[in-house]
Amino acid sequence: GENVEQHPSTLSVQEGDSAVIKCTYSDSASNYFPWYKQELGKGPQLIIDIRSNVGEKKDQRIAVTLNKTAKHFSLHITETQPEDSAVYFCAASIGIKAAGNKLTFGGGTRVLVKP
Amino acid sequence: DVKVTQSSRYLVKRTGEKVFLECVQDMDHENMFWYRQDPGLGLRLIYFSYDVKMKEKGDIPEGYSVSREKKERFSLILESASTNQTSMYLCASSLRDTQEQYFGPGTRLTVT
């Protein structure tokens, strides 16, 4: 089955700096790569996603890049703010509707933005 | 707004007890999922369901079972709780034709 590895496990940045989280996946059939943000006491929430026919996607201060050849994708947060402090999860999916479009998650990255 | 609710935020049970975790979603989603979250291991899929009365094993189904009698409700059952089942349990739901999952706030289960 799919295996997703995520690095680093913790990341501390100064407010205003950039943060980068990297993930690798094992199954070349995966075609959907979402990123979820989990704030303290809450469930994860989708913040951005990318499909395998796209190399990069941006949404304001966050961007995701995908390298299908190398089977890795990354989350970039620019101009970090204290509210970006959270745990971030990457995930991958082969996207089989009949199988519930299962997601395989990485281990998570705890991001701390220091004011 | 999509809402996924879980019956308890915190639960403490004794070894050997039967434990029920309930999840309800209000958006008529076909797919529902149960994960456990442990530090460094991310979210691991226990079971999922893509229709009423249908269930499929995830990556770590041992020691768990599920029930989906109604579309909006998905229950996770620990037949005989053990200490290694102490964890955060997250429920999620999604539409059949999309991949975005909506999560509940989680239930932190402690088995003593």
Side-chain angles (χ1 to χ4, degrees), chain A residues 15 37 39 61 80-86 88 113:
Chain A
E15 183 177 355
K37 176 183 181 182
E39 297 176 340
R61 294 187 297 108
T80 53
Q81 299 170 5
E83 54 264 37
D84 295 328
S85 295
Y88 292 81
V113 179

Side-chain angles (χ1 to χ4, degrees), chain B residues 4 23 31-35 74 90-94 101-104:
Chain B
V4 180
C23 175
N31 301 325
M32 296 189 75
F33 307 84
W34 274 108
Y35 296 90
F74 193 34
L90 289 163
C91 175
S93 70
S94 70
Q101 294 185 14
Y102 295 84
F103 284 84

Side-chain angles (χ1 to χ4, degrees), chain B residues 5 12 51 55 68 92-93 95 99 108:
Chain B
T5 56
V12 180
D51 205 347
K55 58 186 179 184
R68 193 164 180 204
S93 70
L95 287 167
Q99 287 161 298
R108 184 165 293 282

Side-chain angles (χ1 to χ4, degrees), chain B residues 61-78:
Chain B
E62 297 77 20
Y64 304 94
S65 62
V66 290
S67 172
R68 193 164 180 204
E69 296 297 318
K70 292 185 178 181
K71 190 175 185 179
E72 67 271 20
R73 187 180 299 269
F74 193 34
S75 304
L76 180 68
I77 304 153
L78 287 67

Side-chain angles (χ1 to χ4, degrees), chain B:
Chain B
D1 273 355
V2 176
K3 196 163 186 184
V4 180
T5 56
Q6 296 185 227
S7 50
S8 306
R9 294 300 301 269
Y10 300 93
L11 209 51
V12 180
K13 295 291 181 181
R14 294 197 179 274
T15 302
E17 278 193 86
K18 190 168 185 176
V19 182
F20 293 87
L21 302 182
E22 304 285 342
C23 175
V24 177
Q25 50 92 5
D26 66 357
M27 284 303 292
D28 204 34
H29 285 176
E30 290 85 3
N31 301 325
M32 296 189 75
F33 307 84
W34 274 108
Y35 296 90
R36 63 177 282 175
Q37 179 180 3
D38 300 288
L41 298 178
L43 280 66
R44 291 180 293 165
L45 183 64
I46 304 171
Y47 266 96
F48 69 99
S49 168
Y50 52 87
D51 205 347
V52 176
K53 298 193 184 294
M54 303 303 291
K55 58 186 179 184
E56 293 284 342
K57 292 181 180 179
D59 300 318
I60 51 164
E62 297 77 20
Y64 304 94
S65 62
V66 290
S67 172
R68 193 164 180 204
E69 296 297 318
K70 292 185 178 181
K71 190 175 185 179
E72 67 271 20
R73 187 180 299 269
F74 193 34
S75 304
L76 180 68
I77 304 153
L78 287 67
E79 294 289 342
S80 177
S82 63
T83 55
N84 62 11
Q85 293 178 310
T86 291
S87 187
M88 171 70 82
Y89 290 87
L90 289 163
C91 175
S93 70
S94 70
L95 287 167
R96 188 189 309 284
D97 293 338
T98 67
Q99 287 161 298
E100 179 177 1
Q101 294 185 14
Y102 295 84
F103 284 84
T107 295
R108 184 165 293 282
L109 172 68
T110 302
V111 182
T112 61

Side-chain angles (χ1 to χ4, degrees), chain A residues 6 13 16 25 27 30 34 41 47 57 62 74-75 80-81 91 97 112:
Chain A
Q6 182 172 346
V13 296
Y25 61 98
D27 193 334
S30 289
I47 55 171
K57 184 176 179 181
I62 60 173
S74 301
L75 178 72
T80 53
Q81 299 170 5
K97 291 180 185 177
L112 175 64

